[in-house]
């Protein structure tokens, strides 16, 4: 479904990704874990076209999308829920969600019914449903983060990139976000997840990759990575 081969990325002269390869098969949830500064967000940005890769390829269901503009990649069916709270503050929750569906309406073959997906998004995120008429800028930080995630889902994408959806959330909302991710997985949504909570990410994922200083150091089924001595010590807080 999503295939990354030898991806390289740099900011100016500083190379951050040194040629990473990973696969996200259809219907699977794959997680990318790594320490701060390892290059996880950069990987997501290079996949979705927010930055141009320096080398390598990004293939989305067989189509080479490497280096395309982000709106074309979105139209090809890839949704990116970026780190942080990127919502349109002066628009209502509902309008933010409807805007999420926009790129897909310009696809050659528009997929699904927007109204139906709006209801599904409200269903998945009951907090947003209660606040659907509220201006997005007046939501709490955690609610805005959920809105960013729900908006990505509104694209009805082939693949969703979720960058730290739990960042800065109170524990109760972190649990809610992971429940939502698990539900999306049950619905067969293909996802690549970057998470600071490595243990929770490995619990919900099918497969995991460990990113260290811009290179993949380890990968395997999530259930095995959870018990890998190096992963336990470095990322799961084990001794
Ligand atoms: P975190 O978990 O802290 O978010 P990360 O694994 O997502 O980290 P990145 O945000 O991808 O890491 O950053 C990788 C490296 O690239 C870091 O050394 C960072 O300082 C650098 N970097 C990130 N964005 C930029 C930028 N816009 N300009 C220059 N350097 C950058």
């Amino acid at each position: 479904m999503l295939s990354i081969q030898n991806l390289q990325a740099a900011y100016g002269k500083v190379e951050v990704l040194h040629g990473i390869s990973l696969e996200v098969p259809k219907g699977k949830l794959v997680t990318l874990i790594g320490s701060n500064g390892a290059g996880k967000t950069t990987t997501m940005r290079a996949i979705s076209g927010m930055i141009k890769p320096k080398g390598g390829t990004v293939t989305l269901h067989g189509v080479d999308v490497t280096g395309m503009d982000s709106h074309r990649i979105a139209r090809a069916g890839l949704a990116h829920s970026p780190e942080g709270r990127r919502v349109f503050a002066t628009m209502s929750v509902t309008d933010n969600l409807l805007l999420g569906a926009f790129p897909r309406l310009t696809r050659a073959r528009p997929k699904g019914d927007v109204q139906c997906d709006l209801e599904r998004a409200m269903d998945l995120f009951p907090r947003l449903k209660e606040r659907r008429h509220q201006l997005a800028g007046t939501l709490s930080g955690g609610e805005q983060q959920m809105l960013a995630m729900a908006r990505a889902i509104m694209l009805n994408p082939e693949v969703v990139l979720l960058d730290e959806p739990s960042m800065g959330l109170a524990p109760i909302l972190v649990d809610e976000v992971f429940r939502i991710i698990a539900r999306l997985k049950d619905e067969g949504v293909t996802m690549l997840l970057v998470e600071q909570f490595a243990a929770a990410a490995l619990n919900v994922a099918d497969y995991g990759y460990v990113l260290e200083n811009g290179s993949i150091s380890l990968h395997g089924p999530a259930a095995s990575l959870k018990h890998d001595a190096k992963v336990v010590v470095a990322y799961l807080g084990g001794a």
Side-chain angles (χ1 to χ4, degrees):
M1 170 56 61
L2 174 66
S3 176
I4 314 300
Q5 295 297 325
N6 197 25
L7 188 68
Q8 293 152 44
Y11 295 105
K13 285 194 164 52
V14 184
E15 189 174 279
V16 172
L17 296 181
H18 312 300
I20 67 164
S21 299
L22 58 90
E23 301 285 331
V24 186
K26 189 171 170 56
K28 298 290 180 196
L29 170 49
V30 174
T31 185
L32 184 62
I33 60 177
S35 337
N36 291 129
K40 305 178 298 293
T41 294
T42 304
T43 304
M44 299 298 226
R45 288 185 182 145
I47 294 173
S48 71
M50 281 170 74
I51 59 170
K52 301 276 175 234
K54 231 184 83 193
T57 55
V58 178
T59 315
L60 187 61
H61 50 79
V63 179
D64 186 349
V65 297
T66 321
M68 278 187 189
D69 287 342
S70 49
H71 68 271
R72 283 187 64 201
I73 298 184
R75 235 186 291 157
L78 183 130
H80 183 181
S81 174
E83 201 179 33
R85 294 148 191 181
R86 309 271 178 89
V87 298
F88 298 99
T90 56
M91 291 171 67
S92 71
V93 167
T94 302
D95 287 345
N96 265 271
L97 290 173
L98 289 173
L99 212 58
F102 183 72
R104 79 181 221 228
L105 300 177
T106 56
R107 279 161 82 172
R109 280 177 297 134
K111 222 181 114 193
D113 173 64
V114 174
Q115 202 52 42
C116 192
D117 289 337
L118 185 62
E119 268 154 43
R120 171 172 166 248
M122 299 282 190
D123 226 42
L124 271 171
F125 296 87
R127 271 166 202 276
L128 298 180
K129 188 175 189 171
E130 288 164 22
R131 295 165 178 78
R132 60 188 178 279
H133 303 302
Q134 200 171 318
L135 293 184
T138 65
L139 295 175
S140 77
E143 289 160 1
Q144 289 187 29
Q145 203 135 316
M146 289 193 173
L147 179 56
M149 191 171 153
R151 201 178 52 199
I153 304 299
M154 281 298 289
L155 185 63
N156 202 351
E158 315 283 351
V159 180
V160 190
L161 308 183
L162 295 173
D163 195 355
E164 305 242 7
S166 73
M167 191 162 71
L169 299 190
I172 187 169
L173 287 189
V174 173
D175 291 348
E176 195 169 328
V177 161
F178 274 99
R179 264 198 305 278
I180 291 164
I181 293 171
R183 202 170 137 193
L184 291 171
K185 181 186 160 184
D186 289 344
E187 288 181 8
V189 178
T190 309
M191 288 176 279
L192 178 60
L193 169 70
V194 161
E195 252 300 329
Q196 52 178 332
F197 294 112
L202 289 172
N203 274 335
V204 74
D206 297 297
Y207 202 85
Y209 289 83
V210 178
L211 188 63
E212 250 178 78
N213 296 322
S215 301
I216 301 289
S217 59
L218 200 64
H219 60 98
S224 335
L225 282 185
K226 255 191 326 196
H227 302 292
D228 182 280
K230 275 184 284 182
V231 174
V232 170
V233 171
Y235 305 107
L236 305 180

